[in-house]
């Protein structure tokens, strides 16, 4: 029996080393009590130093944690012992690999995590491939996500699965390929199959709300999709469903802004929706320093051709709003409230009627100058304007992507198109809903 004080000493930096050495010396005599301590949510000792001791003990520590995974009766205890089991390190890599065939799904899933935590030495994808077809979806998803993080060297193995099977692994193998290398990583047969699936879905495709955490869009009246794209300099349009177009825009907004990609490489150009064509993607940002002047120019050119053109930003997580309205080649209004110091410098033109109406409803003067506003009035307006972009669009009778539903009249087919950034730099890899 292990002295409880010895385990408690693992939580004291000044006593940890001596306590750990003593527990390792006890070996198998102490592992069960150590694992019980890991599983105890009320334990004052963090699971990490206990795990380090179990790792030093070796196979007996591994086996006891595995049994803890099987026998844990609460979600919290499963979580704690699962963390510990997956952190034992390279010394038990062979045991992790063997545990991939364990009959209990939780053990298989945590074994995948353990292999990933072994780092480079554990990155042999061959052992994980069978789990892409695991009957437990959580296990299959863990294997999929781990393979994505493993890196591009697994692409040849995944291509072989796509070509030869087994069939139960093929769907997730395609997802991993798309995430790692995008379309260039896919075979011609896979690319053709995806395009065929899109064609099959398009006749029954209905509009759906176009929502992301950061929403940027342009709106142009009418349905001249091709003419709008020519004016904007967009190329290589490819038909997509609403789900696919929205998923790409949302993923680009979350996954880019790296050295290689900016999020400006492509946009979703909708079919005509209730009399308007929308262009969605970060490239349409009327507020950010990188894009604001080009978007101003493009909206001006669009409005000269189509009578009107608008651009909006709306942060779906409370990150602010901006709007740009042009008519007949002239900018009528540009305004933004995002909490940035430069917001005031963005302002062009006079307040729109809806802006004046909202100020009146707040008890503020409909016309304002920032220098003459009281601090309280200025704060109240800024907080209101923070969420105003969708309302501005509604007030102008513009189709709002956030309000699109299956009942919104739709004519034509949406496309994903490349911007000049996309032509120059390519597009990020990713797997998306169709």
């Amino acid at each position: 029996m292990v002295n409880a004080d010895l385990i408690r000493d693992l939580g004291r930096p000044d006593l940890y080393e001596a306590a750990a050495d003593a527990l390792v010396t006890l070996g198998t005599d102490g592992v069960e009590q150590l694992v019980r301590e890991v599983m105890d949510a009320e334990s004052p000792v963090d699971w990490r130093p206990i795990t380090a001791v179990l790792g030093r003990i070796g196979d007996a520590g591994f086996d006891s944690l595995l049994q803890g995974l099987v026998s844990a009766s609460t979600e919290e205890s499963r979580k704690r012992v699962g963390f510990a089991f997956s952190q034992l390190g390279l010394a038990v890599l062979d045991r992790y690999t063997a545990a991939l065939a364990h009959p209990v799904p939780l053990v298989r899933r945590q074994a995948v995590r353990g292999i990933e935590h072994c780092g480079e030495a554990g990155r042999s994808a061959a052992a994980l491939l069978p789990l892409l077809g695991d009957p437990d979806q959580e296990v299959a998803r863990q294997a999929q996500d781990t393979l994505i993080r493993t890196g591009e060297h697994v692409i040849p193995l995944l291509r072989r699965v796509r070509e030869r099977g087994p069939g139960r692994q093929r769907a997730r193998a395609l997802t991993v390929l798309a995430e790692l290398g995008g379309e260039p990583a896919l075979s011609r047969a896979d690319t053709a199959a995806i395009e065929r699936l899109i064609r099959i879905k398009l006749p029954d495709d209905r509009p759906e709300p176009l929502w992301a955490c950061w929403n940027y869009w342009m709106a142009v009246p009418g349905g001249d999709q091709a003419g709008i794209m020519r004016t904007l300099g967009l190329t290589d349009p490819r038909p997509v469903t609403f789900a696919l177009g929205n998923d790409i825009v949302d993923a680009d907004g979350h996954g880019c802004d790296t050295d290689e990609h900016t999020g400006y490489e492509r946009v979703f150009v909708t079919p005509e929706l209730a009399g308007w064509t929308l262009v969605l993607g970060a490239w349409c940002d009327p507020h950010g320093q990188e894009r604001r002047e080009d978007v101003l120019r493009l909206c001006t050119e669009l409005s000269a051709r189509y009578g009107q053109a608008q651009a909006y930003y709306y942060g779906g997580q409370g990150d602010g709003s901006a709007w740009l309205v042009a008519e007949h080649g002239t900018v009528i209004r540009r305004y933004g409230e995002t909490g940035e110091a430069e917001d005031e410098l963005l302002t062009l033109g006079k307040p729109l009627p809806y802006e004046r109406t909202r100020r009146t409803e707040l008890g503020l003067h409909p016309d304002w100058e920032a220098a003459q506003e009281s601090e309280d009035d200025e704060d109240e307006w800024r907080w209101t304007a923070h969420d105003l972009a969708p309302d501005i669009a509604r007030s102008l009778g513009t189709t709002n992507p956030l309000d699109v539903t299956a009942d919104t009249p739709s004519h034509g087919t949406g496309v994903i198109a490349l911007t000049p950034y996309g032509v120059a730099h390519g597009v990020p890899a990713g797997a998306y809903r169709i």
Side-chain angles (χ1 to χ4, degrees), residues 3 53 121 205 402:
N3 187 319
V53 171
D205 193 43
L402 283 60

Side-chain angles (χ1 to χ4, degrees), residues 35 38 47-48 50-66 69 81-93 95-96 110 113-115 117-118:
V35 171
V38 169
W47 60 268
R48 293 171 184 82
I50 302 177
T51 300
V53 171
L54 288 167
R56 289 174 61 187
I57 291 173
D59 287 351
F62 180 96
D63 290 339
S64 191
L65 281 170
L66 189 153
L69 275 176
V81 75
F83 278 137
F85 177 79
S86 67
Q87 297 288 334
L88 292 174
L90 187 58
V92 295
L93 176 59
R95 306 293 302 276
Y96 281 139
Q110 294 298 342
R113 296 181 70 231
I115 289 173
H117 289 150
C118 286

Side-chain angles (χ1 to χ4, degrees), residues 6 9-10 15-26 49 52-53 56:
L6 204 56
D9 288 347
L10 292 176
L15 299 176
Y16 168 77
E17 187 172 346
D21 288 344
L23 287 165
V24 171
T25 299
L26 285 171
V53 171
R56 289 174 61 187

Side-chain angles (χ1 to χ4, degrees), residues 120-282:
E120 290 294 333
R123 291 187 174 177
S124 173
L128 299 181
L129 288 177
L131 272 69
L132 291 176
D134 197 279
D136 185 279
Q137 291 304 300
E138 289 190 35
V139 175
R141 181 58 183 262
Q142 186 71 56
Q144 170 188 301
D145 292 347
T146 298
L147 284 167
I148 289 169
R149 290 189 287 269
T150 295
E152 294 182 1
H153 70 272
V154 304
I155 286 178
L157 294 174
L158 295 163
R159 284 175 171 162
R160 191 172 302 123
V161 170
R162 289 296 301 167
E163 293 171 2
R164 306 175 187 175
R168 62 183 179 275
Q169 299 173 22
R170 296 183 78 247
R172 288 189 181 273
L174 180 62
T175 297
V176 178
L177 278 169
E179 288 285 2
L180 286 174
E183 188 173 330
L186 306 184
S187 68
R188 290 183 179 179
D190 279 340
T191 301
I194 292 169
E195 292 174 346
R196 183 167 60 251
L197 178 59
I198 292 171
R199 289 196 301 271
I200 291 170
K201 284 180 170 287
L202 280 174
D204 297 321
D205 193 43
R206 298 301 305 154
E208 60 181 57
L210 303 170
W211 173 267
C213 289
W214 299 278
N215 300 276
Y216 312 88
W217 72 94
M218 294 181 185
V220 184
D224 185 14
Q225 187 187 68
I228 292 168
M229 287 193 293
R230 281 195 300 272
T231 302
L232 293 175
L234 304 176
T235 57
D236 194 25
R238 306 180 74 174
V240 292
T241 61
F242 277 91
L244 179 53
N246 197 43
D247 216 29
I248 288 173
V249 168
D250 190 32
D252 284 356
H254 283 88
C256 290
D257 197 19
T258 65
D259 290 340
E260 185 178 0
H261 295 293
T262 62
Y264 302 140
E265 288 84 5
R266 52 191 171 179
V267 290
F268 175 33
V269 187
T270 70
E272 183 180 352
L273 297 172
W276 292 78
T277 297
L278 307 180
V279 184
L280 297 98

Side-chain angles (χ1 to χ4, degrees), residues 290-321:
E290 174 74 20
R291 292 292 304 147
R292 66 175 63 156
E293 294 310 315
D294 197 35
V295 170
L296 180 75
R297 175 184 63 79
L298 291 170
C299 280
T300 302
E301 293 176 4
L302 286 168
S303 73
R305 179 170 181 177
Y306 297 101
Q308 301 178 61
Q310 301 156 22
Y312 296 90
Y313 162 65
Y314 176 64
Q317 306 297 323
D319 297 315
S321 285

